[in-house]
Amino acid sequence: MTSIGFIGLGIMGSPMAAHLVDAGHQVTGYDVSAEAVQRLAASGGRGAARVAEAVAGADVVITMLPNHPHVEEVVLGDGGVLANADSGTLLIDMSTIRPETSIAVAEAAAERGIRVLDAPVSGGEAGAKQASLSIMVGGEEADFASARPLFEVVGRTIAHVGPHGAGQVVKAANQLLVGGIYGLVGEAIVLMEASGVDAKTGLDVLAGGLAANRILDLKRETMVAREFTPGFRIDLHHKDMGIALAAARAADVSLPLTGLVAQLVAAGRAMGYGSLDHSALLKVTEQLSGRPTP
Amino acid sequence: MTSIGFIGLGIMGSPMAAHLVDAGHQVTGYDVSAEAVQRLAASGGRGAARVAEAVAGADVVITMLPNHPHVEEVVLGDGGVLANADSGTLLIDMSTIRPETSIAVAEAAAERGIRVLDAPVSGGEAGAKQASLSIMVGGEEADFASARPLFEVVGRTIAHVGPHGAGQVVKAANQLLVGGIYGLVGEAIVLMEASGVDAKTGLDVLAGGLAANRILDLKRETMVAREFTPGFRIDLHHKDMGIALAAARAADVSLPLTGLVAQLVAAGRAMGYGSLDHSALLKVTEQLSGRPTP
Amino acid sequence: MTSIGFIGLGIMGSPMAAHLVDAGHQVTGYDVSAEAVQRLAASGGRGAARVAEAVAGADVVITMLPNHPHVEEVVLGDGGVLANADSGTLLIDMSTIRPETSIAVAEAAAERGIRVLDAPVSGGEAGAKQASLSIMVGGEEADFASARPLFEVVGRTIAHVGPHGAGQVVKAANQLLVGGIYGLVGEAIVLMEASGVDAKTGLDVLAGGLAANRILDLKRETMVAREFTPGFRIDLHHKDMGIALAAARAADVSLPLTGLVAQLVAAGRAMGYGSLDHSALLKVTEQLSGRPTP
Amino acid sequence: MTSIGFIGLGIMGSPMAAHLVDAGHQVTGYDVSAEAVQRLAASGGRGAARVAEAVAGADVVITMLPNHPHVEEVVLGDGGVLANADSGTLLIDMSTIRPETSIAVAEAAAERGIRVLDAPVSGGEAGAKQASLSIMVGGEEADFASARPLFEVVGRTIAHVGPHGAGQVVKAANQLLVGGIYGLVGEAIVLMEASGVDAKTGLDVLAGGLAANRILDLKRETMVAREFTPGFRIDLHHKDMGIALAAARAADVSLPLTGLVAQLVAAGRAMGYGSLDHSALLKVTEQLSGRPTP
């Protein structure tokens, strides 16, 4: 049994914390939503009224927060994790944020004897509920080894991919690839439809060859039918494309396709499709081609 | 048994014609290379010295040519297919060319009572040798039905996708998707490597999630190892991106990612990687990021 | 006085032919529109009923046609210029077409002893009327020298820029630059407006610094006011971006910005703005940013 | 005479502070480089050993710093401007930073009764030395009016363009336009050279028409000659493209060309051209087209 402070009980954090409780760990949770805290308490965890209270005496602190400013505040701020955790604590930040923030957090934590892993996930709400997340972990090998049993409670594909920030980089790579493939599939659909081709049949052929990909497998029917219930919202993918560009900048590389995909996702959001599934990137291509569907 | 005139006995056409011979058809072949013609004759087919000779008396004429100017010359030119084929002949053009040429050929053929299918393939040399090609067919449903037994001799995934030119459009969609995914995988690799991430492990994680695709499955190890033996050459993919852009223009659609992918593939060729496998698009991203490998 | 056959009496060709008449040359004109031919005849030229008639006995033949298929038909076709012009004739093609067609025309003409210049223009309808066109000329130096007096009748900036096709290349370079600057100015306007900046004042500042350009000088007020009366239509610029991409392909270069600009111009056309001025590229950026104006 | 605290005496700040001294103002300067401080003291200003000392008793504080983290530290940090300036002070931040930081600074300052203008400049080192900068100012109209006499000491084109952050937005618009035009001119040059066109003559024609722009006027000869002495370094333009993308994100707009230009500038830096003039963006296009020059 591990004593865990869990900060951030939202759509992702809430089911993850519940799985940890079910696995027999002592989980003390905090969230800005008192209701989320009560839900955890009701299901066998403990509720905390402040970050400090969740962190006090914990062996492991897990954070699952929306973006880097929240991580900076919760971890580095007054009354935050570093100010309250014991030396020797392991902080696992499972938020998806810029690699450079993960690195900065790890450096600040090291000064206080606190070890850190960045461990963003993919798989979305469904993955969190089904404990089938992919987890990409950056940090020290020994820390990864000690955290592994906890990761196995919430995830299925679990990999240590490099030093501090490396988990975020792999997550960024995942998101640029997913965003790009959505964009390309959207262009393929618009081209076929505008050319009088049966898109459904055409995509079936594509899915049987070198162009095959999981997005075609899972989403081609809903895309052709223009059903865009999330899933993973364009607004969130927009945030993640910002992280991918920040990662590219930090690594001093040039990623032209990623740069363009980021602007197309931004268009999806700006056009008002932010709360639709990211497959709605198709709607941007439709608009560009003068073929809007209602 | 069908009497087939087969024009274009190159890397693709040669094994395809041989499979048709093996299936019991009478195949009379022509190619600009006398050696290729002799090879067919040696393996049970008949050699022709001119297009007219291959076409004379054939029930079906199959063309497998490099690009649209060759199709225009062989089909529409003096001494070509239309000038020599009997009315009622079925012309199956399996070349990968612009949809608009396929449509123009079908119109010109109709005036002479000749039926046409455009039936480009994917699967490359290996697919041609193993008779496992994907075949995307445009044209009349009845013509597709009558050609189907021949397609089954050389291919595995066979689909009628729409009217004249539709086969070319689906092939174009396939190639823009394949080119784009190569570009995105290349950007993911460069980002990870430049960030100190173990790219091999990172790609394994990506291949287990929503970013999964056949290119990652088949090529991630060779890409990380910088092995670029073709496979399908960048020069050919460059030709195909030109077709995709022409198809977009003909359909009056805007495909920004395709437009950029086309320029990156053009860069691969211009940089001198034209005879490498199209996975060598990775080398363009490397150069752009100041990280060339030998 | 030169005897000139002039083929293509449209918006551009008509005033150009009239200037040549006024300058004392004997101009025999042909166009598919009989009305255009009559207009030339009424203003001192001669009308021809066929290409052959316009070409017969001419020292110089000028063609001013919409695109490369028209040039191929009028120059290379049966009953065309090459079939009817005397050996020694100088053919000046002032159409804007692909460099490779200009080169092919020059080669075909050489076989018949006919000299050719490619001499596309910029400056639009106003430039044609005011005889203030810029003329970019490819071909032999001696031919350029002999044609110069005619160019000076219709143009102001006149330059010999290289061998056959070079005029088209420079025109293509002009159009990619113009299209790209429109796109960039559009992005600057949308960024400023969406940020609460007074775009008019902001553009005034930009026009005073390193970003200064003629498009800002001439069009920033109408762009901010959303007045898009042509001028030069998006449909024509779309054609020209196709030429720029064909020129890049022929030269084996990679032009990523040009590739993207081409798709944005294609979007302008697909969205229904084809008959608006090319400054309406701003409307594409507006749509992408969810800020359409009526 | 105004009492001015001037923080940031680098390549830009140093000559600007000197002009203010020459105009009769009392300038107390601080920089991390003691040498820069001594230089100011030697030329009639006063040197300060800390930010607090420069700010104490000043009517106006001017900051001219490399990027937003420096502004955050110097203005918002312990011992910074806000902690030491008197209520009623006017803070003029002339650094080029993200609009959102300018807005955050203005909000934090307002709580302490300190007024703020964001006033980034363009014109580079030469403009600073010659007191001919363009200055784009965001903030309150009244504050702009009171600062105007100081702006006139160092600049020539001076404009109030909107609320807090608006100066930064206009600067970002300037930089995206300048970066984009360099990229387009580079593509035009590579296309012409690879096509056998005399680029010098071709650019002369372009500079005479609708494609005319100041970059062509000032830089076409050095670009054709491959002389890339800065001027304004690619490294700095890379920083500025990051600001442009951040501004687009904050304004919720989609700027595809800007997104691509940012990656091409990033390529320039990654390829090792960071200390060359930004016109060296040409070298990126050369590399992409397999035509590197030494």
Side-chain angles (χ1 to χ4, degrees), chain A residues 249 252, chain D residues 234-236 238 264-274 284:
Chain A
R249 185 163 281 264
D252 219 352
Chain D
I234 280 190
D235 276 348
L236 289 171
H238 176 63
L264 295 173
V265 174
R269 174 178 159 84
M271 283 174 172
Y273 310 138
V284 173

Side-chain angles (χ1 to χ4, degrees), chain A:
Chain A
M1 194 207 71
T2 304
S3 168
I4 301 170
F6 200 113
I7 299 161
L9 301 166
I11 289 176
M12 298 295 291
S14 202
M16 291 166 72
H19 287 305
L20 290 165
V21 168
D22 292 349
H25 298 291
Q26 179 188 304
V27 180
T28 308
Y30 171 74
D31 193 278
V32 287
S33 152
E35 198 186 318
V37 175
Q38 283 162 6
R39 209 162 38 226
L40 176 67
S43 67
R46 301 180 186 184
R50 282 177 304 282
V51 168
E53 197 179 324
V55 166
D59 304 317
V60 170
V61 174
I62 296 176
T63 44
M64 189 58 168
L65 298 162
N67 207 346
H68 66 99
H70 313 85
V71 172
E72 284 162 0
E73 190 192 334
V74 165
V75 176
L76 307 177
D78 297 338
V81 175
L82 298 193
N84 289 284
D86 297 334
S87 173
T89 303
L90 175 64
L91 168 61
I92 307 173
D93 180 29
M94 303 190 78
S95 320
T96 293
I97 60 171
R98 301 177 176 192
E100 59 196 286
T101 304
S102 294
I103 293 167
V105 162
E107 286 170 355
E111 292 175 13
R112 306 196 178 221
I114 293 170
R115 299 166 297 142
V116 181
L117 296 171
D118 54 293
V121 305
S122 75
E125 187 179 355
K129 286 187 172 162
Q130 297 157 18
S132 65
L133 295 166
S134 291
I135 311 179
M136 303 143 235
V137 188
E140 297 293 325
E141 180 68 45
D143 296 334
F144 172 70
S146 72
R148 183 157 205 140
L150 299 180
F151 290 143
E152 286 173 350
V153 172
V154 297
R156 200 148 50 196
T157 306
I158 298 153
H160 180 233
V161 292
H164 294 301
Q168 301 298 351
V169 169
V170 176
K171 177 71 186 285
N174 187 73
Q175 294 305 78
L176 78 84
L177 205 42
V178 168
I181 294 175
Y182 271 123
L184 292 164
V185 169
E187 297 195 359
I189 290 173
V190 166
L191 174 61
M192 291 193 289
E193 289 181 348
S195 305
V197 173
D198 182 69
K200 174 73 181 59
T201 309
L203 291 174
D204 288 349
V205 176
L206 267 48
L210 189 53
N213 58 74
R214 190 154 301 165
I215 285 167
L216 270 184
D217 292 346
L218 298 176
K219 299 287 185 78
R220 70 178 183 269
E221 292 198 16
T222 50
M223 288 178 80
V224 170
R226 270 64 177 176
E227 292 168 13
F228 300 118
T229 315
F232 188 79
R233 287 183 292 116
I234 280 189
D235 276 349
L236 289 171
H237 212 118
H238 177 62
K239 179 205 124 185
D240 289 355
M241 292 309 299
I243 293 172
L245 290 181
R249 185 163 281 264
D252 219 352
V253 295
S254 168
L255 307 182
L257 288 168
T258 302
L260 182 52
V261 170
Q263 296 306 316
L264 295 173
V265 174
R269 175 178 158 84
M271 283 174 172
Y273 311 137
S275 356
L276 299 185
D277 185 67
H278 46 175
S279 54
L281 200 49
L282 170 58
K283 292 178 78 67
V284 173
T285 311
E286 286 181 338
Q287 292 278 358
L288 274 173
S289 295
R291 303 173 60 84
T293 55

Side-chain angles (χ1 to χ4, degrees), chain D residues 171-226:
Chain D
K171 177 70 188 285
N174 187 74
Q175 294 304 78
L176 78 85
L177 205 41
V178 168
I181 294 174
Y182 271 123
L184 292 164
V185 169
E187 296 196 358
I189 290 173
V190 167
L191 173 62
M192 291 192 289
E193 290 181 347
S195 306
V197 173
D198 182 70
K200 174 73 182 60
T201 310
L203 291 174
D204 288 349
V205 176
L206 267 49
L210 188 53
N213 58 75
R214 190 154 302 165
I215 285 168
L216 270 185
D217 292 347
L218 298 176
K219 298 287 185 79
R220 71 178 184 268
E221 293 198 13
T222 50
M223 287 178 80
V224 169
R226 270 62 177 178

Side-chain angles (χ1 to χ4, degrees), chain C residues 122 134 157 173-182 185 207 209-219, chain D residues 177 181 184-185 202-218 220:
Chain C
S122 74
S134 290
T157 306
N174 187 73
Q175 294 304 78
L176 79 84
L177 206 41
V178 168
I181 294 175
Y182 271 123
V185 169
L210 188 53
N213 58 76
R214 190 154 301 164
I215 284 168
L216 270 184
D217 291 347
L218 299 176
K219 298 288 185 77
Chain D
L177 205 41
I181 294 174
L184 292 164
V185 169
L203 291 174
D204 288 349
V205 176
L206 267 49
L210 188 53
N213 58 75
R214 190 154 302 165
I215 285 168
L216 270 185
D217 292 347
L218 298 176
R220 71 178 184 268

Side-chain angles (χ1 to χ4, degrees), chain B:
Chain B
M1 196 208 70
T2 304
S3 168
I4 302 169
F6 200 112
I7 299 160
L9 300 167
I11 289 175
M12 298 295 291
S14 202
M16 291 166 71
H19 287 305
L20 290 165
V21 169
D22 292 348
H25 299 291
Q26 178 188 304
V27 180
T28 308
Y30 171 74
D31 193 277
V32 287
S33 153
E35 197 186 318
V37 175
Q38 284 161 5
R39 211 163 35 225
L40 177 67
S43 66
R46 301 181 184 182
R50 282 177 304 282
V51 168
E53 197 180 323
V55 167
D59 305 315
V60 169
V61 174
I62 296 177
T63 44
M64 189 59 167
L65 298 162
N67 206 346
H68 66 99
H70 313 84
V71 172
E72 285 162 1
E73 189 192 334
V74 165
V75 176
L76 307 178
D78 298 337
V81 176
L82 298 194
N84 288 285
D86 297 333
S87 174
T89 303
L90 175 63
L91 168 61
I92 307 174
D93 181 28
M94 303 189 78
S95 319
T96 293
I97 60 171
R98 301 177 177 194
E100 59 196 288
T101 304
S102 294
I103 293 167
V105 162
E107 287 170 356
E111 292 175 14
R112 306 197 179 221
I114 293 170
R115 299 165 299 142
V116 181
L117 295 172
D118 53 293
V121 305
S122 74
E125 187 180 355
K129 285 187 172 163
Q130 297 158 19
S132 65
L133 295 166
S134 291
I135 311 178
M136 302 143 236
V137 189
E140 297 293 326
E141 180 68 43
D143 296 335
F144 173 70
S146 73
R148 181 156 206 142
L150 299 180
F151 289 143
E152 287 173 350
V153 172
V154 296
R156 201 148 51 195
T157 305
I158 298 153
H160 180 233
V161 293
H164 293 303
Q168 301 297 351
V169 169
V170 175
K171 177 71 186 284
N174 187 73
Q175 294 304 78
L176 78 84
L177 205 42
V178 168
I181 294 174
Y182 271 122
L184 292 164
V185 169
E187 296 196 358
I189 290 173
V190 167
L191 173 61
M192 291 193 288
E193 289 181 348
S195 305
V197 173
D198 181 69
K200 175 73 182 58
T201 310
L203 291 174
D204 288 349
V205 175
L206 268 47
L210 188 53
N213 59 75
R214 190 154 302 167
I215 284 167
L216 271 184
D217 291 347
L218 299 176
K219 298 286 186 79
R220 71 178 183 269
E221 292 198 15
T222 50
M223 289 177 79
V224 169
R226 269 65 177 176
E227 292 168 14
F228 300 118
T229 315
F232 189 79
R233 287 183 292 115
I234 280 190
D235 276 348
L236 289 171
H237 212 117
H238 177 63
K239 179 206 124 184
D240 289 355
M241 292 310 300
I243 293 172
L245 290 181
R249 185 163 281 264
D252 220 352
V253 295
S254 168
L255 307 182
L257 288 168
T258 301
L260 182 52
V261 170
Q263 295 306 316
L264 295 174
V265 174
R269 175 178 159 84
M271 284 174 173
Y273 311 137
S275 354
L276 300 185
D277 185 67
H278 46 175
S279 54
L281 201 48
L282 169 59
K283 292 177 77 68
V284 174
T285 311
E286 286 182 339
Q287 292 278 359
L288 274 172
S289 295
R291 303 174 61 83
T293 55

Side-chain angles (χ1 to χ4, degrees), chain C residues 122 134-136 157-163 165-167 169-174 176-188 190-192 194-199 201-216 218-219 244 247-248 251-261 264 278 285 288-289 291, chain D residues 122 134-136 157-163 165-167 169-174 176-188 190-192 194-199 201-216 218-219 244 247-248 251-261 264 278 285 288-289 291:
Chain C
S122 74
S134 290
I135 310 179
M136 302 142 237
T157 306
I158 297 153
H160 180 232
V161 292
V169 170
V170 175
K171 177 71 187 284
N174 187 73
L176 79 84
L177 206 41
V178 168
I181 294 175
Y182 271 123
L184 292 164
V185 169
E187 296 196 358
V190 166
L191 174 61
M192 290 192 289
S195 305
V197 173
D198 182 70
T201 310
L203 291 174
D204 288 350
V205 175
L206 265 49
L210 188 53
N213 58 76
R214 190 154 301 164
I215 284 168
L216 270 184
L218 299 176
K219 298 288 185 77
D252 219 353
V253 295
S254 168
L255 308 183
L257 287 168
T258 301
L260 182 53
V261 170
L264 295 173
H278 46 176
T285 311
L288 274 173
S289 295
R291 304 174 59 84
Chain D
S122 75
S134 291
I135 311 178
M136 303 143 234
T157 306
I158 297 153
H160 180 231
V161 292
V169 169
V170 175
K171 177 70 188 285
N174 187 74
L176 78 85
L177 205 41
V178 168
I181 294 174
Y182 271 123
L184 292 164
V185 169
E187 296 196 358
V190 167
L191 173 62
M192 291 192 289
S195 306
V197 173
D198 182 70
T201 310
L203 291 174
D204 288 349
V205 176
L206 267 49
L210 188 53
N213 58 75
R214 190 154 302 165
I215 285 168
L216 270 185
L218 298 176
K219 298 287 185 79
D252 219 351
V253 295
S254 168
L255 307 183
L257 287 169
T258 301
L260 182 53
V261 171
L264 295 173
H278 46 175
T285 311
L288 275 173
S289 295
R291 304 175 58 84

